[in-house]
Amino acid sequence: MRNISPCSLLALVAATSLCGGGMAFGQTANKIPPILVTPDRVESSIGTLDFKDGAPSPETIKKVYDTLAFTRGLDAFLNSYGGASAYAIHKGLLGIGAEDNTVTIFPELMDSKSLFLTANADTVYYFSVVDLTKGPMVVEQPPKGVGTINDMWFQWIIDIGFPGPDRGEGGRYLILPPGYDGPVPEGGFYVARAKTNRVLYASRGYLVDNDPKATVANIKEHMKIYPYTPGGVGTSIATALEGTVKLAANPVVPETKFNEASGKSFNTIPPSDYSFFEMINANIQAEPADSYNPELAGQLAAIGIVKGKEFRPDERMKKILTDAAAVGNASGRVLNWDSSNIPGWAFYPGSGWANMLWEGGANFETPPPMITKEGMFAPLPPTGARTLDSKTAFYYGYTLDSPGMIMRLPKVGSQYLMGFVDADKKPYDGGKTYKVTLPPDIPAEAFWSFTLYDNQSRSMLDTPQRYPRAGSQSYPSPAAEADADGSTTIYFGPTQPKDVKRGNWIQTMPDKGWFVLLRLYSPLESFFTKEWRLSEVELVP
């Protein structure tokens, strides 16, 4: 072996260590694995992407930035739709003179003149936007109500009425504003804390003997909204002696202002074009920066919507966001009209009847709890993953969020089945006649109904009937009548079929698309076990 000097030997060792053991003399770098190499030309869904040894060309830079802006705009549209919907409700109520802390009530029920996402024509609605900017507010809930309180992102705060802690007896709810650290009463109130400066109060009352008058009277007698008085009722003298709160007498409760809205035309639905982002920006500016999650805040910030800053997109960004709104709107429609084909959404195997909430529950993360033989709730393990498609589908077509609207508990609350397609999985044609049959023993202890909705607005279908519904109640349209075998058949079509009772027909309009919801109020066990199954919606020859 030829003698090698110590310096040469050290150089050889260093080269071998840096370049990999066993490397041939003169080799200075490993070959880059093919999976790490970016070719000079890449074909993609956004077009041809050009690189020079990995460095993007100016054209590629522009394409990628535009795609990132579109993607974040689309995510913002889909993930903030609940916030836009809440803001649109507030804006719509203000538009008819319903100021914050007043109560909007529908004494003759809601009808097809008002644009509300999939509202019903069966119960007396009463709404309020409660302003917390000046401090905690008290809401006195009337007895026999069913409802919920959400924040301005449609995040659930607390249920009220039958599903809430008052269990239908009525009571006082104290809503604390964001960051409130003042005194809280020891008792006498159901206390809930909000993340936003305003909250949406929404409740409904069932008819009494097929008439709304007694229900309306009950609401007007008991419904109150007023500021909380620290140190008043709910605070003991012993607590006051601790020096943290001053004893106070409750002031006279102000008279509640009611706004009657039956038959009024006004809109509470977010836009589907570029102005959607302007509405979301308005909501962002009105609410605390921590009232929504950081991921959504990041998506909004990426397109220029930031708390405390002016939203001024240039023409390029406006064009991109217009496209994002178009695709976002299409996404909401696809996820609703194709709902029965999405795994876990069809209520019966192969059926067109579906409900997206069975996948992830009211929080879009874990399906609703099971019920044991002893009647106890048995929560399912958290999945840790947001069911994004069900969240998008729900907020696009429906409003307000509550655990009470999706649970497996008989005789409590209501259950919903959505029908967007007929037995052949085709969308409904307003110029054709369809029918659906409900077998005997319809699983609704209180009552049941079908309601038709306009494809475009997702609000009640506007026809000469005014109330596009059919069901077991005889108000506001005649009650449906059962056949001799105990089954009940409902028809949907532009004209009343011969020999079909008025209460068994809901009018449609030629050239106007529609979809249908079945509501079961106080559902019975046969619904949850699926022993009872209604037919598909069939085209009548």
Side-chain angles (χ1 to χ4, degrees):
M1 181 176 180
R2 185 166 58 89
N3 291 333
I4 300 177
S5 71
C7 291
S8 298
L9 182 60
L10 288 173
L12 176 62
V13 171
T16 302
S17 300
L18 292 172
C19 299
M23 178 176 291
F25 289 111
Q27 186 172 347
T28 59
N30 273 338
K31 183 178 181 180
I32 299 175
I35 59 173
L36 302 183
V37 173
T38 298
D40 287 348
R41 173 159 290 195
V42 177
E43 299 299 331
S44 76
S45 61
I46 63 172
T48 301
L49 305 177
D50 295 315
F51 302 87
K52 184 176 182 181
D53 192 25
S57 68
E59 294 78 10
T60 295
I61 289 173
K62 180 181 184 305
K63 288 177 183 178
V64 170
Y65 275 134
D66 286 353
T67 300
L68 288 174
F70 170 81
T71 302
R72 287 158 180 167
L74 177 58
D75 283 341
F77 184 99
L78 299 180
N79 294 328
S80 68
Y81 202 92
S85 190
Y87 188 89
I89 290 175
H90 187 203
K91 185 176 180 180
L93 293 176
L94 290 174
I96 59 170
E99 299 176 352
D100 294 353
N101 304 329
T102 66
V103 179
T104 299
I105 189 169
F106 294 80
E108 297 177 8
L109 310 190
M110 195 182 297
D111 61 17
S112 57
K113 298 303 178 185
S114 302
L115 294 180
F116 266 83
L117 290 176
T118 52
N120 72 61
D122 307 311
T123 62
V124 177
Y125 279 114
Y126 47 114
F127 296 105
S128 182
V129 176
V130 182
D131 183 0
L132 304 175
T133 57
K134 296 179 181 178
M137 295 291 290
V138 177
V139 175
E140 291 195 10
Q141 167 67 19
K144 301 179 182 180
V146 181
T148 191
I149 298 176
N150 281 194
D151 70 16
M152 293 303 292
W153 296 100
F154 271 161
Q155 296 173 120
W156 177 74
I157 298 174
I158 192 171
D159 281 336
I160 54 179
F162 284 111
D166 71 272
R167 303 296 292 276
E169 297 295 325
R172 291 181 293 191
Y173 287 77
L174 175 60
I175 313 301
L176 305 179
Y180 179 77
D181 60 358
V184 177
E186 301 155 60
F189 297 85
Y190 304 111
V191 180
R193 189 176 292 274
K195 293 182 178 180
T196 55
N197 295 323
R198 288 174 174 80
V199 298
L200 295 174
Y201 166 94
S203 191
R204 55 203 161 125
Y206 294 165
L207 307 189
V208 178
D209 296 328
N210 292 298
D211 193 321
K213 292 186 180 64
T215 305
V216 172
N218 173 57
I219 295 167
K220 289 189 173 182
E221 179 183 356
H222 294 98
M223 183 76 208
K224 308 289 182 185
I225 300 177
Y226 52 89
Y228 168 64
T229 302
V233 171
T235 300
S236 68
I237 294 177
T239 296
L241 291 175
E242 297 173 359
T244 57
V245 60
K246 180 181 178 181
L247 282 178
N250 277 9
V252 176
V253 176
E255 183 177 351
T256 305
K257 179 181 178 181
F258 287 92
N259 311 284
E260 297 193 352
S262 291
K264 287 188 176 181
S265 298
F266 60 106
N267 178 37
T268 66
I269 302 172
S272 298
D273 57 12
Y274 165 77
S275 61
F276 174 91
F277 295 101
E278 294 177 323
M279 180 170 283
I280 277 297
N281 178 64
N283 205 27
I284 287 288
Q285 303 309 327
E287 301 301 339
D290 60 355
S291 63
Y292 46 97
N293 63 63
E295 288 74 19
L296 177 57
Q299 292 165 2
L300 293 168
I303 59 174
I305 298 177
V306 180
K307 172 75 174 179
K309 294 185 178 181
E310 187 177 0
F311 178 49
R312 296 184 61 184
D314 57 20
E315 290 305 312
R316 164 187 165 272
M317 183 61 78
K318 282 185 179 180
K319 183 178 179 181
I320 291 172
L321 293 181
T322 298
D323 191 25
V327 177
N329 177 63
S331 301
R333 291 183 173 278
V334 166
L335 292 170
N336 275 287
W337 267 262
D338 197 47
S339 57
S340 61
N341 291 322
I342 299 175
W345 291 18
F347 193 66
Y348 309 103
S351 173
W353 295 107
N355 186 325
M356 74 291 291
L357 294 177
W358 291 106
E359 181 188 11
N363 66 348
F364 309 103
E365 189 267 335
T366 299
M370 304 298 289
I371 301 293
T372 67
K373 293 181 179 180
E374 295 76 27
M376 295 290 290
F377 284 108
L380 297 172
T383 65
R386 192 76 65 203
T387 55
L388 295 178
D389 285 349
S390 69
K391 181 173 180 281
T392 293
F394 179 80
Y395 285 129
Y396 186 79
Y398 316 90
T399 61
L400 297 160
D401 202 354
S402 164
M405 68 187 176
I406 185 70
M407 56 184 174
R408 297 182 173 93
L409 190 61
K411 300 184 180 181
V412 176
S414 51
Q415 286 294 329
Y416 311 84
L417 291 180
M418 296 77 162
F420 288 87
V421 292
D422 64 16
D424 296 322
K425 295 298 182 77
K426 296 179 179 179
Y428 305 118
D429 184 334
K432 298 179 180 179
T433 298
Y434 301 81
K435 67 176 182 178
V436 61
T437 299
L438 298 86
D441 302 319
I442 298 171
E445 185 177 63
F447 56 97
W448 61 270
S449 75
F450 285 107
T451 308
L452 298 194
Y453 298 95
D454 186 302
N455 280 357
Q456 294 288 0
S457 68
R458 292 94 73 202
S459 299
M460 286 188 225
L461 188 66
D462 192 6
T463 73
Q465 284 185 336
R466 183 182 177 189
Y467 300 98
R469 66 166 301 276
S472 56
Q473 292 187 156
S474 60
Y475 184 96
S477 58
E481 298 182 29
D483 297 327
D485 64 357
S487 65
T488 304
T489 300
I490 304 298
Y491 291 81
F492 315 111
T495 58
Q496 186 173 344
K498 185 179 179 181
D499 299 326
V500 171
K501 300 290 187 181
R502 167 63 184 84
N504 293 64
W505 167 63
I506 307 178
Q507 187 174 21
T508 62
M509 301 293 285
D511 302 320
K512 173 57 70 175
W514 55 272
F515 63 95
V516 60
L517 260 67
L518 169 66
R519 288 178 170 86
L520 302 171
Y521 294 86
S522 299
L524 301 177
E525 188 172 359
S526 60
F527 170 78
F528 298 101
T529 62
K530 303 181 185 179
E531 297 172 49
W532 181 89
R533 175 173 176 170
L534 76 166
S535 77
E536 300 300 298
V537 179
E538 302 170 339
L539 184 64
V540 176

